[in-house]
Amino acid sequence: MISEGSSFMRGLLIGGAFCIFITLIGHIKVAHESTTSHEHHHVQAPNKEEVLKLSENERMDLSQNMRVYCIILVKPKDLSLWAAAKDTWVKHCDKAEFYSSEEVKAFESISVNTNDMWAMIRKAIQIAYEKNKSEYSWFFISQPSVFAVIENLKFFLLKKDPSQPFYIGHTSTSGDLEYVDIAGGIVLSVESLNRLIAVFNEPDKCPESGGIIWKVSEDKQLAMCLKYKNVLAENAEDSEGKNVFNTKSVGTLIKEAMENDPQKVVEGCCSDMAITFSGLSPNNMQVMMYGVYRLRAYGHSFNDALVFMPPENSNND
């Protein structure tokens, strides 16, 4: 009996050790394949003075050649947001396509036939890349509750080289992983997509279904896959260091600024060069469209260093 009890306990210990080993292996697989450490990265927009130093021809070339392809991830439950996005900021993308979890008759979209957000992102990126990699240098991934000012995005990217592996947005951290929060939108250069498509074909590094023991969010999973190819998350800021990709609505940000310092609401709230706001309702989308594109103060001039013309037939309202 003692012998049998000892064998049982030995089996328990071996089994427990094996489980711990498997769990550790799972955590190790999340880590980067290189040992290079990465500090928090900040990427800033050019200031107006930098742009004004360029010749008029250089500025014209930049404004005409900056082209952004927008990927909007949607599900049937998002129909009202979908309609609002389609009617507002999406018209300012050089090309925009909605990638839906399933076929929807109400709106034109590309069905990826899955409800899993990580699988949706993978399939949308693969389709968009194959169709548009030679025509667009920058790819913007968003959810339908985001409002994006595409002209500000283009200005931010003005002096960035898309042949470099840029992966930009509002960064957050989870443990030692730094990732771009999809709530504020994600920007990828064509080179970062080149590397991402390559790692998609390595299931041990970038599994299609995520982890077996635990499941992480789609934006964290994206960061893990990109990290294997030395593409690291970078926080986007204006020339004063303020975030330009926002994971909250402008109303929420103003409320927080008022609570923190009522004397500095504007300074404490948002960048003048903000690119995105998140968590908007369909009505909020229309209000944002009015404030960004329709409202004008006669006699006031912004003296912009560069003008990005909206795509043809975009109804730039």
Side-chain angles (χ1 to χ4, degrees):
M1 292 295 292
I2 294 172
S3 170
E4 289 177 5
S6 299
S7 298
F8 176 73
M9 289 303 297
R10 195 182 304 117
L12 271 178
L13 290 171
I14 293 171
F18 181 74
C19 287
I20 292 169
F21 174 74
I22 291 297
T23 302
L24 287 172
I25 289 295
H27 282 285
I28 290 168
K29 290 177 86 65
V30 168
H32 194 294
E33 63 186 1
S34 101
T35 56
T36 305
S37 63
H38 171 55
E39 294 182 358
H40 189 70
H41 278 207
H42 300 260
V43 181
Q44 290 195 333
N47 58 42
K48 190 165 78 171
E49 287 69 29
E50 289 177 30
V51 179
L52 288 172
K53 289 177 184 176
L54 302 172
S55 71
E56 189 173 341
N57 285 339
E58 285 176 317
R59 279 184 275 159
M60 183 68 73
D61 287 343
L62 284 170
S63 66
Q64 291 178 345
N65 294 328
M66 183 66 69
R67 290 168 58 76
V68 175
Y69 176 92
C70 297
I71 297 170
I72 303 98
L73 304 165
V74 292
K75 294 184 178 182
K77 65 181 178 65
D78 302 324
L79 280 180
S80 58
L81 282 169
W82 188 342
K86 189 174 187 293
D87 190 46
T88 56
W89 68 268
V90 168
K91 294 183 289 188
H92 291 257
C93 300
D94 293 290
K95 183 178 180 181
E97 289 184 303
F98 291 84
Y99 289 81
S100 176
S101 57
E102 59 188 81
E103 293 284 351
V104 177
K105 294 181 179 179
F107 293 104
E108 182 179 350
S109 64
I110 299 170
S111 174
V112 293
N113 296 314
T114 178
N115 272 306
D116 181 82
M117 281 302 298
W118 170 233
M120 281 184 70
I121 287 181
R122 282 181 65 110
K123 290 185 178 182
I125 286 173
Q126 287 171 313
I127 295 168
Y129 177 81
E130 290 305 321
K131 288 169 56 181
N132 303 284
K133 61 185 175 184
S134 60
E135 192 174 351
Y136 296 91
S137 298
W138 298 99
F139 294 75
F140 174 60
I141 303 172
S142 140
Q143 295 173 318
S145 59
V146 168
F147 186 98
V149 184
I150 297 300
E151 292 80 5
N152 285 1
L153 173 58
K154 289 182 176 182
F155 186 81
F156 179 85
L157 296 172
L158 195 62
K159 300 183 78 175
K160 310 291 186 294
D161 183 357
S163 68
Q164 297 300 311
F166 281 105
Y167 162 46
I168 303 170
H170 185 113
T171 58
S172 296
T173 56
S174 176
D176 62 351
L177 177 71
E178 192 166 16
Y179 64 98
V180 174
D181 192 331
I182 195 171
I186 297 171
V187 176
L188 296 163
S189 67
V190 70
E191 173 56 24
S192 64
L193 282 191
N194 289 338
R195 300 187 186 192
L196 185 59
I197 294 298
V199 80
F200 277 170
N201 296 320
E202 301 178 60
D204 58 321
K205 297 175 181 176
C206 185
E208 193 165 347
S209 57
I212 297 172
I213 300 175
W214 68 92
K215 189 170 179 63
V216 298
S217 63
E218 62 277 4
D219 41 16
K220 294 175 187 175
Q221 188 69 58
L222 178 65
M224 290 175 190
C225 295
L226 285 166
K227 199 172 179 184
Y228 274 114
K229 294 297 181 182
N230 291 311
V231 183
L232 305 173
E234 298 179 286
N235 194 66
E237 301 165 358
D238 65 14
S239 57
E240 297 178 356
K242 291 182 181 177
N243 286 328
V244 292
F245 287 80
N246 295 292
T247 57
K248 300 176 182 178
S249 70
V250 65
T252 300
L253 292 168
I254 289 172
K255 182 180 178 182
E256 290 178 355
M258 290 178 70
E259 291 172 351
N260 293 333
D261 190 345
Q263 304 304 315
K264 295 183 179 180
V265 174
V266 175
E267 295 87 344
C269 164
C270 321
S271 167
D272 291 349
M273 289 299 299
I275 294 169
T276 64
F277 294 97
S278 184
L280 276 70
S281 69
N283 286 341
N284 291 156
M285 290 268 194
Q286 297 294 346
V287 171
M288 287 293 297
M289 194 68 180
Y290 170 74
V292 172
Y293 291 108
R294 298 175 194 162
L295 180 63
R296 291 289 180 268
Y298 282 90
H300 178 79
S301 173
F302 285 103
N303 297 316
D304 290 330
L306 201 63
V307 175
F308 296 101
M309 298 305 293
E312 204 171 330
N313 301 320
S314 68
N315 298 320
N316 184 29
D317 32 19

